[in-house]
Amino acid sequence: MNERIKELELEAIAYADSKVPAMDRYNDIYHSIVRGKFAELLLKASFDVVINDGRFHDAKGIIKAGKYTAMEHFGIEE
């Protein structure tokens, strides 16, 4: 697995840990929070990689609009 994906997974787990009391961790709700946050982080990171890639400088505005459209569609806040 890609190191960056592992980092995003750990970030999602840390987020869930901050939202769920220790005694309630590792149940379905906890895992749902981890999965949701991981998906959000992965979506943002994917667009950011393309936006920051120098080969796409002419299309940056379109890509940024796509990022925010996708985030809005999935209910993700910046």
Side-chain angles (χ1 to χ4, degrees):
M1 186 185 307
N2 180 302
E3 276 303 311
R4 183 63 183 132
I5 292 175
K6 288 180 186 176
E7 291 171 7
L8 294 175
E9 178 185 33
L10 292 175
E11 191 175 334
I13 291 169
Y15 175 81
D17 286 351
S18 74
K19 299 294 181 187
V20 177
M23 63 187 205
D24 292 331
R25 291 186 188 150
Y26 309 110
N27 62 23
D28 290 340
I29 294 170
Y30 176 82
H31 289 292
S32 177
I33 293 170
V34 171
R35 286 190 305 269
K37 188 63 174 179
F38 178 72
E40 178 182 318
L41 293 169
L42 190 59
L43 178 69
K44 286 181 181 179
S46 297
F47 273 100
D48 288 342
V49 165
V50 177
I51 290 168
N52 294 323
D53 188 312
R55 295 175 290 179
F56 301 103
H57 65 278
D58 292 338
K60 228 178 231 193
I62 295 168
I63 296 166
K64 284 182 180 179
K67 174 184 178 180
Y68 293 109
T69 300
M71 288 172 54
E72 182 180 8
H73 175 77
F74 289 108
I76 299 170
E77 296 180 13
E78 185 58 37

